[in-house]
Amino acid sequence: MTQSSGLPLWEIFVRSRRGMSHIHVGSLHAADWEMAVQNARDLYTRRGEGVSIWAVAATEIHASDPDDKGPLFDPPADKVYRHPTFYEVPEDLKL
Amino acid sequence: MEQMVDDSLEDAFQHRIDAEVKIEPRDWMPERYRASLVRQIAQHAHSEIIGMQPEGNWITRAPSLRRKAILLAKVQDEAGHGLYLYSAAETLGVDREALVDMLQTGRQKYSSIFNYPTLSWADVGSIGWLVDGAAITNQLALTHTSYGPYARAMVKICREESFHQRQGFELLWHLSHGTEAQHEMAQESVNRWWWPSLMMFGPPDHSSPNSEQSMRWGIKRVSNDELRRRFVDMTVPQARALGVLLPDPELRWNESTGHHDFGPINWDEFHRVVGGDGPCNAERLTRRRRAHEEGEWVREAARSWATRHVPARIEAA
Amino acid sequence: MTDALAATRSRLCDYALALGDDCLILSHRLSEWTGNAPDFEEDVALSNLALDLLGQARGLLTHAGELEGSGRSEDDLAYWRDDLQFRNLILVEQPKGDFAWTVTRNLLFSTYQELLYQELSQSAEPILAGIAAKGALEASYHCEHAALWTARLGDGTAESHQRMEQALMALWPLTGEMFELAPGQAELVSAGLAVDPSLVLEQWQLRVGEKLQDATLSIPRVPQRRCQGRLGFHSEHLGHLLAEMQHLHRSHPDASW
Ligand SMILES: [Fe+2]
Ligand SMILES: [Fe+2]
């Protein structure tokens, strides 16, 4: 990976409406978190898309290994009851 | 042994692509897939950034305050598009600063269309209508590209682009339905921008060497010629509604193909401009470099401040 | 219409024009950054400031035209007046300068504008009050942007500090004009229609002083210059700005865009 001579990278999360979760929208560069939030407001909420912004230093994000798919992501086969299709309901009923 | 592991990984990778499953940043991917994505996304990002210049050229001269606001917002959007795309490229493990350096030293390209000058106000309209129109045709196809972050950036960009094309169309409509001088301004501008817009889709399929692999990897979803054909079919009726003529005597509807036929594109000109000998290549890069260099002391100050201060935290919520 | 009412309307028109011209001209200067900013993020940010100010200018000029009652539109007022008829502050027409210059001017002007608009949002003139209320929110955002950068440039590197000092030395003497009541406007103030800008001077000095102190900068000890932009006597910079801004519009006098 290239060593950056630019400003640090920040991952930006925006909550677009009350009642929703923050969603990752992209990243930007800024020297500190205050500038990152300020820039994020201009960049990712220009059309009034956001009511709340998180800026997270990209170096602070720790990810799972995508190839390590076993325990983390495979829906445990023994817990099929978590899925709505597990349940039989009368066909003419909207549920 | 190494090779065998790679082969089976590559098979699995291709399998995913064929099944229309998006590739995400930390997935295994062939090095050539990564490199070719970086090149394409970076070139796309550079185009958005350099693309600010020809239209930005008219912000301070816009002939009404309404037009000035629209143009300013549009050029601002392009800066935003550049940032969305650099952000997507950075998920592939490259750094924006390094990419910008590639642009500024001429080692990576940007769309050649932006090497043409904006000589009249009508050019702002032509760029919105034709250049953004062509870009949208290409970008709509790219919303289905195989790399997740690139596809998501495209969705966001396409949402904003439709305003760009509309404002260009509306601008030209006012000109072509305005005074005689305005109508002439519109027609003269369309004459200059039509052919370069067709070139935006790149060389014809039979001489586009990278296309085939790109298609197999799902990076490119639709071929250059097919995109160009879509663009022409879309644009011809719009030109009629605008009341401007497209400068191609061979342009006509072909009943049997169900598409428009159009005259030959001057690929010599295309290659010349791509090769650096366009009307504005030198100016565009010089100006980009100057903005970057003049900004260095500002970025340096911000970096220096950040090493000595941590702004008071506010709790995330 | 009684004579008194007509006189009030005409004074209000001048008042709206002055505020609108400030926004129009500063917006123009800020828009010169689009594509030239120190970073792409800042291209977006500075364009936002320019767009906010342009929006305010359009509201104020449109309203001035209505008050005037002559049917002049925002474009008639922006494109068909000459330098001597513009009422903006000398401060806002100064060239774009370097980024320190732009940040300093934004700090000085946005702080003034926010304080003024907050007062004006209480005006008995409902349209002005409405424009001011919305403008105050935008101005407070502009102040925030200016303050963030003032801190980082003032307390950044030796070079950035020096550039900020230079900008302050040059721009500070132009700020006195912001707090002068233009002729004929005392009546508007006493009628509760307009704001006496001298009332916000103290608060302005306090707030700007604080921001400068945070940035290891201080209010320069330089005398105010006599500025008469509000009377139409401008620096030479405005003429060039207008030549660029108005040329195309005036080249096609019978056109609409
Ligand atoms: Fe774009
Ligand atoms: Fe666009």
Side-chain angles (χ1 to χ4, degrees):
Chain A
M1 199 173 294
T2 345
Q3 186 56 42
S4 168
S5 57
L7 302 175
L9 184 66
W10 300 80
E11 297 296 336
I12 305 301
F13 301 77
V14 171
R15 169 165 43 220
S16 55
R17 254 185 311 124
R18 284 173 188 283
M20 309 281 284
S21 300
H22 285 75
I23 290 178
H24 182 242
V25 291
S27 62
L28 51 75
H29 291 263
D32 57 77
W33 72 257
E34 221 170 5
M35 292 301 305
V37 169
Q38 163 102 16
N39 289 337
R41 184 156 48 174
D42 287 327
L43 180 60
Y44 288 108
T45 67
R46 281 201 304 299
R47 289 174 168 79
E49 294 96 332
V51 295
S52 167
I53 295 170
W54 288 349
V56 182
T59 49
E60 294 296 316
I61 291 190
H62 304 282
S64 60
D65 184 345
D67 298 323
D68 178 23
K69 275 209 170 166
L72 267 170
F73 296 108
D74 275 345
D78 58 339
K79 294 200 180 76
V80 283
Y81 49 80
R82 284 189 187 281
H83 297 273
T85 45
F86 176 72
Y87 302 94
E88 259 175 56
V89 293
E91 255 172 36
D92 51 350
L93 193 66
K94 282 231 158 59
L95 201 77
Chain B
M1 187 61 204
E2 263 308 294
Q3 188 53 43
M4 271 171 60
V5 172
D6 253 33
D7 281 354
S8 72
L9 280 171
E10 190 148 355
D11 285 349
F13 173 82
Q14 189 62 48
H15 200 70
R16 246 185 215 180
I17 300 242
D18 297 342
E20 296 284 328
V21 175
K22 291 273 183 263
I23 307 301
E24 293 295 342
R26 289 168 56 89
D27 291 339
W28 185 89
M29 59 185 86
E31 216 24 68
R32 286 162 303 136
Y33 175 83
R34 181 191 303 273
S36 120
L37 261 179
V38 167
R39 193 183 340 104
Q40 180 171 335
I41 300 174
Q43 181 167 328
H44 198 157
H46 301 332
S47 303
E48 303 282 354
I49 295 298
I50 296 291
M52 296 171 75
Q53 290 187 33
E55 287 182 284
N57 185 32
W58 282 92
I59 291 175
T60 55
R61 293 178 288 169
S64 75
L65 297 186
R66 175 171 174 270
R67 290 284 169 211
K68 188 171 175 163
I70 293 170
L71 181 56
L72 194 46
K74 197 238 175 199
V75 177
Q76 181 196 39
D77 271 353
E78 306 300 4
H81 296 174
L83 287 174
Y84 300 160
L85 286 159
Y86 284 127
S87 167
E90 286 187 291
T91 63
L92 291 159
V94 286
D95 183 76
R96 182 172 103 194
E97 187 81 358
L99 296 177
V100 169
D101 191 60
M102 300 275 268
L103 163 67
Q104 293 182 164
T105 51
R107 283 174 294 159
Q108 277 180 348
K109 301 225 176 293
Y110 53 88
S111 176
S112 262
I113 192 80
F114 300 119
N115 289 320
Y116 291 87
T118 48
L119 302 176
S120 80
W121 168 250
D123 290 1
V124 172
S126 294
I127 291 184
W129 176 46
L130 296 174
V131 175
D132 285 275
I136 293 169
T137 309
N138 186 32
Q139 287 166 350
L140 272 176
L142 282 172
T143 58
H144 302 288
T145 193
S146 59
Y147 186 57
Y150 192 23
R152 291 192 285 276
M154 278 302 127
V155 169
K156 204 155 20 166
I157 288 173
C158 282
R159 222 180 283 145
E160 301 185 355
E161 285 292 351
S162 69
F163 135 61
H164 296 182
Q165 197 194 11
R166 275 158 186 258
Q167 65 84 33
F169 182 89
E170 190 212 57
L171 192 163
L172 282 178
W173 197 91
H174 276 271
L175 293 181
S176 67
H177 292 78
T179 65
E180 205 174 312
Q182 283 178 306
H183 184 89
E184 261 171 47
M185 195 194 280
Q187 182 62 59
E188 188 279 335
S189 171
V190 170
N191 291 349
R192 272 183 292 116
W193 288 93
W194 172 247
W195 290 107
S197 302
L198 292 188
M199 296 176 199
M200 282 176 71
F201 298 97
D205 294 345
H206 61 79
S207 62
S208 182
N210 296 326
S211 280
E212 207 179 314
Q213 180 61 67
S214 260
M215 297 278 268
R216 229 166 15 96
W217 276 332
I219 298 177
K220 200 172 167 52
R221 301 308 304 256
V222 183
S223 82
N224 294 355
D225 285 333
E226 165 62 16
L227 287 169
R228 192 163 15 241
R229 192 184 56 67
R230 285 184 193 174
F231 174 67
V232 172
D233 286 344
M234 173 185 85
T235 308
V236 169
Q238 292 172 354
R240 214 171 295 130
L242 269 181
V244 294
L245 298 170
L246 296 173
D248 178 0
E250 295 177 43
L251 185 65
R252 62 179 56 86
W253 178 249
N254 182 331
E255 199 64 59
S256 64
T257 59
H259 299 292
H260 290 86
D261 291 337
F262 51 93
I265 292 171
N266 182 347
W267 293 113
D268 288 345
E269 175 182 328
F270 173 78
H271 290 296
R272 203 178 62 238
V273 179
V274 169
D277 186 20
C280 297
N281 298 52
E283 286 90 338
R284 299 291 186 240
L285 274 187
T286 304
R287 184 163 151 203
R288 174 88 296 281
R289 275 195 289 263
R290 187 170 15 129
H292 190 78
E293 280 159 18
E294 286 177 357
E296 181 50 35
W297 70 268
V298 177
R299 299 189 298 275
E300 182 57 42
R303 262 193 301 265
S304 158
W305 188 91
T307 59
R308 286 171 292 113
H309 303 78
V310 181
R313 297 293 286 231
I314 39 176
E315 286 298 314
Chain C
M1 206 188 304
T2 66
D3 284 358
L5 188 59
T8 303
R9 280 180 75 98
S10 144
R11 286 192 194 105
L12 263 176
C13 168
D14 286 346
Y15 186 68
L17 266 185
L19 299 182
D21 286 348
D22 284 349
C23 299
L24 180 66
I25 301 302
L26 185 55
S27 162
H28 188 100
R29 286 302 187 209
L30 286 168
S31 77
E32 292 173 352
W33 278 104
T34 305
N36 298 308
D39 224 335
F40 303 135
E41 279 82 358
E42 214 50 43
D43 275 314
V44 178
L46 291 171
S47 304
N48 253 0
L49 305 189
L51 274 169
D52 283 348
L53 287 170
L54 184 54
Q56 293 169 24
R58 294 181 63 192
L60 286 161
L61 292 188
T62 300
H63 188 46
E66 289 159 2
L67 287 164
E68 190 184 48
S70 63
R72 285 206 283 183
S73 67
E74 58 178 32
D75 285 341
D76 294 332
L77 288 166
Y79 292 97
W80 288 101
R81 282 179 301 150
D82 294 329
D83 325 21
L84 285 162
Q85 294 156 330
F86 271 78
R87 291 289 175 267
N88 58 279
L89 301 162
I90 301 291
L91 177 72
V92 298
E93 72 199 33
Q94 297 303 302
K96 131 180 179 289
D98 67 4
F99 191 64
W101 180 276
T102 280
V103 164
T104 303
R105 170 163 54 194
N106 283 353
L107 178 73
L108 300 174
F109 181 78
S110 309
T111 308
Y112 156 78
Q113 204 191 30
E114 186 186 359
L115 292 169
L116 191 80
Y117 277 166
Q118 278 169 354
E119 295 295 320
L120 189 59
S121 66
Q122 310 297 314
S123 166
E125 211 275 88
I127 295 182
L128 269 184
I131 294 173
K134 178 166 184 287
L137 291 177
E138 292 172 346
S140 90
Y141 173 72
H142 301 178
C143 286
E144 221 175 288
H145 178 265
L148 287 184
W149 274 116
T150 299
R152 280 148 187 82
L153 299 182
D155 194 12
T157 60
E159 180 183 2
S160 68
H161 182 83
Q162 195 204 346
R163 284 177 186 258
M164 285 299 282
E165 272 186 337
Q166 278 169 356
L168 262 176
M169 288 288 282
L171 294 172
W172 189 267
L174 309 179
T175 54
E177 189 186 12
M178 297 196 291
F179 305 99
E180 289 165 15
L181 194 60
Q185 289 180 358
E187 287 89 341
L188 294 180
V189 172
S190 50
L193 299 169
V195 176
D196 178 353
S198 68
L199 293 179
V200 301
L201 171 61
E202 205 173 313
Q203 242 192 311
W204 178 83
Q205 271 173 337
L206 208 74
R207 277 182 52 175
V208 170
E210 265 172 24
K211 301 295 180 210
L212 292 179
Q213 201 177 5
D214 289 348
T216 70
L217 296 161
S218 51
I219 294 178
R221 283 182 226 284
V222 282
Q224 285 296 325
R225 265 171 51 191
R226 184 172 149 81
C227 295
Q228 296 188 307
R230 291 280 190 244
L231 301 179
F233 303 113
H234 292 277
S235 66
E236 290 178 349
H237 301 299
L238 183 65
H240 293 279
L241 183 154
L242 293 181
E244 185 175 346
M245 184 177 99
Q246 296 175 333
H247 142 262
L248 176 61
H249 185 96
R250 290 193 182 195
S251 303
H252 300 264
D254 46 353
S256 73
W257 303 93

